[in-house]
Amino acid sequence: MLNFFKHFMKNDKKEFHIQKPEPAPTLSKDLNIHASLDENKKFLSELLHYPLSNDVQFRDINICINDKFYKGLLISYDGLVNNDIINNYILRELMNENNRFNTSDSKSILKNKSIPNLKDIICNSILTDCQVSAVSTFEKVVENILHGDSALFIDGETYSLICDTKNIPGRSVTKSEIEMNLKGPAEGFIENFRTNTALIRKFVKDENLIFESVEVGTETTTRCAIAYISTIANDSIVDEVRRRINGVEVDYLLDSGELEQLIEDKTFIIDPLILSTERPDKVASHLIEGRVAIIVEGSNNVLIVPAIFSDFTHASEDSYLRFPYAEMLRIFRLPAIFLSIFLPGLYISICNFHQEMIPTDLLFAIAGAREKVPFTMLTELLIMEIAFEIIREASIRTPAPMGATIGIVGTLILGQAIVSANIVSPILVIIVALTGISTFVTTNYALNYSFRILRFFYILLGATAGFFGLAIGIFIHLCLLTSTTSFGVPYLTPFAPTRKGIFKDDLFIFPIWKKENRPPFLKTKKPVREPHISRKWDTSEKGGNKN
Amino acid sequence: MIFKGFLENFECIATLGCMTIIPIILTLPTFSAHYFGTASFLYAVYSSIVAGILFFILFKFFSKYKNKDILDVAEIAGGKLLKYITGLIVVLYLMTAAVITLSEFNENVRNILFDEAPSIYISLLFIITVLIGCLIGLKGIFRASTILAPFMIIGFIGMFFALVPSIDLTNFTPVFGNGISDLFIGGAYKISGYESLALLFLIAPNIKNFDKTARNSFFMIAFFLLSAFFLIFGVMSYPSLTDNYLPFFELTKLISYGRFVQRVESIFVLLWLIATFIYLTIGISFSVLILKKIFNIKNSKIFLVIACIIVLILSRVLTSYIDILKFREIVSIYLSPLLIVVYPFILILLANLKNSKNNKETNYATQ
């Protein structure tokens, strides 16, 4: 017992403190490969922290060619590579004692190919089942093995052979979950870079579609691709995208969301300035219009630039649905956007400052419903809005099976209880619910976020000064939006500055055969998409086939 | 160029349209009722014709200098000194107009919305908003007008259809009101409804097609002015208008579509407030940009803040609404025709004379 107290009272417990770090020894990767394999191995062990880092694989081998053995070393990252390829098509082939190549025979294929050295023999005759390329610096070696390749070093050679052995773990192509559609292609991008480029290529079968490689990040070189159709996209937009991406100097780049923030025109503006999508068909349709897409390795979202306000309000489905249905959706989307930003602000303005606007019967109903509520309308509204935001955030973060429970508890039980407890009035629940539902009509989640933030501003302005406050908010917001550009294109085009085609594909939608031109603000190389008469079979159309 | 960048045709027209709303909703109908009585609508038609002719001539003369603003024309006409003088006159006029508009709107907003709030709060809200607008830049303001203008037009049309049944044609009689001479002689120089057209002299180099913009802007202003006057003087009798501080606001109170849409005047106030922000922002921004141009100031942002503070302080000096109206009458009715028509006309004539003289001298020299 005494010992226990002694132990308890003893104050000799050492607390952990983070020490000031010593500068990490940095090895310059920008060195050429030595001829000595041992030196290369020593240098790479240090560079790749082998054997401290347990996923690095160093495999010493003896390469056998024409009964002569060469010392070799194969380096790769376990987990990023396909072990089948390494074992069956690289190691087995290289170590095969039957590797015999008669280079002196005049009939030999190798002779005809005039293969002069070991590198060509290995590349062209031994490792025939995977892509092989030679690099001469350690920097390139490290970069490639981090992307899932394997590096082969041979004693006496001042290069390394990079074998394509990529097998980076990832999910398979699945349905797009954020941008849902009833009609049209359903698949979405995944985290695999090459799969994403292939998905786009699947839709745009055009040899002029270019995926230009750029790398971002000083510590991790994250592969990015600038995608554009060279015969359509304006070169200056492509140059600007290239300039901005090349001008990014960060150590790590993990997702397209980070790149978006690094290359957007204005940071402190609430509305999104770059379109981010997980739908390959959407990217394809924008590329065909003449825009530029940016694909980031490891991200399941692709960025599209330049983006204007109306792009964020359109769904891919709009062009797949028949014109009347799509038109109806567009028309309903407009008031939904208006409601999602302004409804709570308008409600509080009208109730607090402009009661004369409310018809008498409704005014009595509102007053009656608020009779037992002890809070001011602003408090009441903020309680509901904040609660709604919390429920929404919670339902996103909770595991899928529990999401429905959160929804039921949050909306039904909490909503019912909050009204019964006279914390908020039932009319306010209707207002907040209608606003919340309207927010979901916008197809783009980034725009959704901006509306949610703006709504709070308008609530505060409306509560402070009624319509005067709303006028202040609208004026400043309008001025900000109209003075903003996305990669040189005014954000509110074609509304401000006004351009032709407002009614064709921005505010409303016209039949698909009426979409003859590409958006004029993109200044594409091919402004015309299709001839004036695209339905040649229709004899009733002017200039159509009359036979 | 007073500011960089090109303006679209519709951007200019929409901005001028938004600026025209301000005198219409504030004091112009009251002044018209006071001067012309029942002939106020006829005055609106007459002043439109007079303004049309005057501006047609003026723009014809000015078309030689499409790539120049009025300051450049003044420099051609009378060198740097005249440029400075013209610049300062324009700045004074714009600042005065901003001060009066702020005082007037401040009082009206207080009466309509916040009858118990101290007016300094309203002034502060106004000026902070305008300052933010100024800092964002003129290009944004011009473009914001293009978004606002369609709503203004829809509002006007809605108002028109709602109030047409209430129009009493006897309100227009006697047709010549206080007399033919009062109307045709006294009304000849009262063209302040078109004062926003003078902005074209400042933005001429920024406009792609000056003639088309000038023509369309004139018609836009005429549309607003005539339809507003037709409604006001058709629905309300002129004696009630002479006493009324905000006749247009009173008019909107009469709008009703069935039982549900009634008393929608606050929506119009919302639109007018945004138009006022545009008006004040343009006035203050141009004042500073003109000073920037004539005195080669590099960083004008601090001057925008100073100009806003000056406008706020001066607007606080004009506390009595009667004083504000008197001041508005002097500036709008008597000063503005001199500044928007006569002064530019003199400058353009002088510039033309100087140009022809220079041409003659060069011809002699070459001969």
Side-chain angles (χ1 to χ4, degrees):
Chain A
M1 193 68 180
L2 197 68
N3 281 341
F4 171 76
F5 274 108
K6 269 184 185 173
H7 177 76
F8 191 75
M9 297 304 284
K10 217 163 50 178
N11 194 18
D12 63 347
K13 190 183 173 188
K14 280 186 183 173
E15 280 186 21
F16 168 71
H17 293 287
I18 298 173
Q19 303 293 318
K20 194 180 173 188
E22 286 173 15
T26 48
L27 289 173
S28 173
K29 288 185 275 183
D30 196 18
L31 292 174
N32 287 330
I33 294 166
H34 303 286
S36 158
L37 183 67
D38 290 337
E39 273 195 42
N40 287 337
K41 190 176 176 182
K42 193 181 162 199
F43 181 78
L44 280 164
S45 306
E46 215 171 322
L47 190 68
L48 303 176
H49 308 283
Y50 179 78
L52 182 68
S53 179
N54 67 7
D55 63 338
V56 189
Q57 290 180 325
F58 275 59
R59 175 78 189 258
D60 293 305
I61 53 171
N62 283 321
I63 303 163
C64 178
I65 298 170
N66 289 355
D67 296 330
K68 194 180 172 189
F69 288 94
Y70 300 87
K71 275 171 76 182
L73 172 68
L74 189 75
I75 302 174
S76 61
Y77 273 101
D78 192 18
L80 295 182
V81 291
N82 186 333
N83 284 323
D84 268 358
I85 297 178
I86 291 184
N87 292 332
N88 297 329
Y89 302 107
I90 298 177
L91 295 178
R92 188 174 287 174
E93 293 295 329
L94 288 170
M95 296 161 88
N96 189 350
E97 290 183 5
N98 297 325
N99 281 337
R100 283 194 179 79
F101 306 103
N102 189 356
T103 52
S104 57
D105 183 4
S106 61
K107 288 178 183 175
S108 161
I109 299 167
L110 295 169
K111 181 79 180 173
N112 291 343
K113 282 185 182 172
S114 64
I115 294 168
N117 56 33
L118 195 61
K119 180 168 78 178
D120 290 341
I121 291 173
I122 293 173
C123 290
N124 299 333
S125 305
I126 300 176
L127 301 179
T128 51
D129 289 306
C130 62
Q131 290 289 324
V132 183
S133 59
V135 295
S136 58
T137 62
F138 286 111
E139 191 180 6
K140 285 280 165 201
V141 170
V142 173
E143 189 188 316
N144 282 294
I145 60 172
L146 282 169
H147 284 102
D149 292 333
S150 301
L152 176 67
F153 290 85
I154 303 160
D155 196 20
E157 302 293 333
T158 56
Y159 55 80
S160 169
L161 295 176
I162 303 295
C163 312
D164 185 1
T165 54
K166 287 185 197 75
N167 186 23
I168 298 167
R171 61 189 170 108
S172 56
V173 177
T174 49
K175 212 173 167 181
S176 161
E177 281 175 7
I178 296 174
E179 296 167 71
M180 305 284 272
N181 265 9
L182 286 177
K183 197 176 179 184
E187 59 197 9
F189 288 118
I190 56 164
E191 290 74 15
N192 188 299
F193 181 76
R194 195 45 73 204
T195 310
N196 290 349
T197 57
L199 282 171
I200 298 171
R201 181 78 71 184
K202 193 172 99 175
F203 284 101
V204 187
K205 291 182 179 67
D206 184 346
E207 72 281 9
N208 296 309
L209 170 63
I210 293 171
F211 291 106
E212 199 180 299
S213 261
V214 271
E215 281 166 355
V216 181
T218 49
E219 297 294 322
T220 59
T221 45
T222 306
R223 257 192 308 172
C224 301
I226 303 171
Y228 56 93
I229 300 175
S230 61
T231 48
I232 298 173
N234 187 315
D235 291 334
S236 60
I237 296 177
V238 180
D239 290 344
E240 180 60 17
V241 174
R242 203 180 291 130
R243 189 185 72 83
R244 288 193 195 186
I245 295 178
N246 287 331
V248 170
E249 202 173 310
V250 287
D251 52 353
Y252 292 93
L253 184 81
L254 301 178
D255 188 73
S256 62
E258 291 182 348
L259 186 66
E260 180 185 350
Q261 294 174 65
L262 290 164
I263 61 169
E264 68 186 350
D265 288 73
K266 282 184 183 175
T267 302
F268 297 104
I269 194 157
I270 295 169
D271 299 76
L273 299 177
I274 293 174
L275 187 63
S276 177
T277 181
E278 59 168 8
R279 295 184 63 89
D281 58 319
K282 197 167 187 173
V283 174
S285 78
H286 282 293
L287 286 173
I288 291 164
E289 274 190 348
R291 291 177 214 239
V292 180
I294 305 159
I295 303 139
V296 178
E297 186 180 20
S299 174
N300 65 337
N301 277 282
V302 170
L303 307 176
I304 299 167
V305 292
I308 58 169
F309 181 77
S310 56
D311 291 333
F312 295 92
T313 63
H314 297 169
S316 320
E317 202 175 29
D318 292 358
S319 27
Y320 307 140
L321 284 174
R322 285 192 64 237
F323 154 70
Y325 317 150
E327 192 72 86
M328 185 197 71
L329 290 179
R330 284 260 170 110
I331 289 169
F332 286 143
R333 220 173 274 150
L334 288 176
I337 289 170
F338 177 82
L339 291 178
S340 63
I341 305 174
F342 292 109
L343 185 62
L346 273 176
Y347 174 72
I348 202 163
S349 301
I350 292 172
C351 289
N352 284 353
F353 293 92
H354 313 280
Q355 295 92 343
E356 76 281 350
M357 284 182 76
I358 310 171
T360 319
D361 300 342
L362 188 61
L363 188 64
F364 281 132
I366 293 171
R370 290 208 73 248
E371 202 178 17
K372 288 180 182 173
V373 178
F375 302 114
T376 60
M377 196 169 276
L378 177 64
T379 319
E380 200 187 353
L381 194 53
L382 287 178
I383 287 171
M384 273 310 284
E385 281 291 343
I386 292 168
F388 192 84
E389 289 299 324
I390 291 169
I391 293 165
R392 186 180 352 213
E393 197 60 21
S395 60
I396 294 169
R397 307 285 163 227
T398 44
M402 286 170 69
T405 322
I406 291 279
I408 292 164
V409 172
T411 52
L412 293 177
I413 301 171
L414 200 63
Q416 179 73 33
I418 210 164
V419 172
S420 306
N422 290 323
I423 294 172
V424 295
S425 62
I427 291 185
L428 199 90
V429 175
I430 298 171
I431 297 288
V432 174
L434 188 60
T435 312
I437 291 166
S438 302
T439 314
F440 293 117
V441 174
T442 48
T443 53
N444 188 281
Y445 69 90
L447 194 69
N448 199 319
Y449 280 118
S450 80
F451 286 175
R452 282 154 66 183
I453 297 169
L454 285 170
R455 191 188 306 151
F456 280 99
F457 279 115
Y458 283 111
I459 288 172
L460 293 176
L461 287 168
T464 314
F467 278 5
F468 183 42
L470 291 186
I472 291 172
I474 293 169
F475 173 73
I476 295 173
H477 190 200
L478 261 185
C479 292
L480 276 173
L481 289 186
T482 50
S483 62
T484 302
T485 55
S486 169
F487 284 79
V489 175
Y491 189 58
L492 282 190
T493 296
F495 308 106
T498 316
R499 296 271 182 272
K500 277 180 189 171
I502 292 179
F503 299 105
K504 260 189 181 175
D505 198 26
D506 287 287
L507 203 54
F508 303 113
I509 193 165
F510 270 29
I512 197 156
W513 44 267
K514 275 276 184 189
K515 290 178 189 171
E516 289 144 4
N517 300 318
R518 292 196 163 78
F521 57 83
L522 291 173
K523 294 179 181 149
T524 52
K525 290 174 189 165
K526 281 184 192 168
V528 179
R529 286 185 78 159
E530 58 193 31
H532 179 56
I533 306 294
S534 55
R535 301 197 303 174
K536 300 281 183 200
W537 55 269
D538 189 355
T539 51
S540 64
E541 279 189 41
K542 196 181 171 189
N545 185 4
K546 300 232 168 105
N547 296 321
Chain B
M1 246 188 216
I2 292 174
F3 73 101
K4 284 177 188 172
F6 280 100
L7 296 171
E8 300 288 326
N9 187 17
F10 188 66
E11 283 169 11
C12 298
I13 298 165
T15 309
L16 296 183
C18 289
M19 291 177 78
T20 308
I21 294 291
I22 307 303
I24 293 174
I25 52 175
L26 288 174
T27 41
L28 200 57
T30 312
F31 288 148
S32 307
H34 178 73
Y35 286 117
F36 307 106
T38 53
S40 292
F41 178 64
L42 201 60
Y43 150 73
V45 177
Y46 175 62
S47 74
S48 298
I49 295 165
V50 172
I53 294 165
L54 285 175
F55 277 105
F56 175 76
I57 297 166
L58 205 52
F59 288 146
K60 210 65 184 164
F61 276 98
F62 190 74
S63 57
K64 260 189 189 176
Y65 307 101
K66 271 177 201 167
N67 298 325
K68 292 180 170 45
D69 55 56
I70 198 74
L71 300 181
D72 299 327
V73 176
E75 194 173 0
I76 296 166
K80 291 256 181 206
L81 185 67
L82 194 60
K83 183 184 171 183
Y84 290 143
I85 293 167
T86 309
L88 290 175
I89 289 172
V90 177
V91 169
L92 267 178
Y93 178 71
L94 290 173
M95 290 290 273
T96 314
V99 169
I100 298 169
T101 308
L102 181 61
S103 321
E104 228 173 332
F105 239 94
N106 198 30
E107 277 303 307
N108 289 322
V109 167
R110 204 160 76 95
N111 288 339
I112 297 168
L113 299 172
F114 316 102
D115 47 354
E116 286 175 10
S119 65
I120 181 72
Y121 291 153
I122 303 164
S123 304
L124 269 174
L125 278 175
F126 254 112
I127 214 71
I128 290 168
T129 311
V130 170
L131 177 62
I132 294 170
C134 291
L135 291 173
I136 289 169
L138 269 177
K139 192 105 183 170
I141 308 297
F142 275 94
R143 285 184 182 164
S145 310
T146 59
I147 307 278
L148 184 65
F151 291 100
M152 289 277 189
I153 294 170
I154 292 166
F156 248 87
I157 293 168
M159 199 173 161
F160 197 85
F161 281 110
L163 294 175
V164 156
S166 313
I167 289 174
D168 181 0
L169 289 177
T170 56
N171 285 339
F172 296 117
T173 55
V175 177
F176 293 111
N178 299 341
I180 292 178
S181 61
D182 268 13
L183 177 64
F184 291 110
I185 299 166
Y189 66 91
K190 292 186 178 73
I191 51 165
S192 60
Y194 289 87
E195 67 185 345
S196 56
L197 267 183
L199 187 72
L200 289 173
F201 293 125
L202 296 176
I203 57 172
N206 306 84
I207 303 172
K208 282 180 184 168
N209 189 343
F210 182 82
D211 295 329
K212 192 180 167 189
T213 307
R215 190 177 58 238
N216 292 345
S217 303
F218 175 79
F219 287 121
M220 177 82 164
I221 295 170
F223 162 76
F224 274 136
L225 195 71
L226 293 176
S227 54
F229 267 62
F230 180 69
L231 279 179
I232 293 173
F233 289 94
V235 175
M236 299 166 91
S237 62
Y238 96 90
S240 64
L241 284 163
T242 49
D243 297 335
N244 223 322
Y245 288 150
L246 268 182
F248 214 65
F249 176 69
E250 294 300 322
L251 198 68
T252 53
K253 283 185 179 173
L254 305 174
I255 296 171
S256 69
Y257 283 102
R259 272 191 69 214
F260 204 80
V261 183
Q262 290 180 341
R263 298 294 305 272
V264 286
E265 67 269 16
S266 301
I267 294 172
F268 287 91
V269 172
L270 179 85
L271 289 177
W272 300 338
L273 281 167
I274 301 173
T276 314
F277 293 138
I278 289 173
Y279 184 92
L280 290 173
T281 310
I282 285 178
I284 295 173
S285 294
F286 267 106
S287 306
V288 173
L289 288 172
I290 288 167
L291 289 177
K292 185 184 173 184
K293 183 173 177 172
I294 58 177
F295 295 117
N296 283 329
I297 299 164
K298 280 184 182 167
N299 185 7
S300 61
K301 284 191 177 173
I302 186 73
F303 288 92
L304 285 171
V305 180
I306 293 168
C308 286
I309 293 169
I310 291 170
V311 170
L312 176 70
I313 292 168
L314 291 177
S315 74
R316 303 301 304 157
V317 174
L318 288 171
T319 45
S320 156
Y321 198 71
I322 302 296
D323 289 344
I324 296 169
L325 286 180
K326 275 184 188 165
F327 214 56
R328 166 70 81 185
E329 189 175 6
I330 295 166
V331 174
S332 286
I333 306 293
Y334 300 106
L335 267 178
S336 78
L338 291 174
L339 282 172
I340 63 171
V341 178
V342 180
Y343 189 65
F345 199 73
I346 293 167
L347 286 182
I348 294 164
L349 273 182
L350 280 174
N352 277 347
L353 280 173
K354 198 150 190 185
N355 266 346
S356 55
K357 197 181 164 188
N358 284 348
N359 286 343
K360 270 181 192 173
E361 276 173 11
T362 29
N363 283 343
Y364 282 131
T366 47
Q367 278 169 12

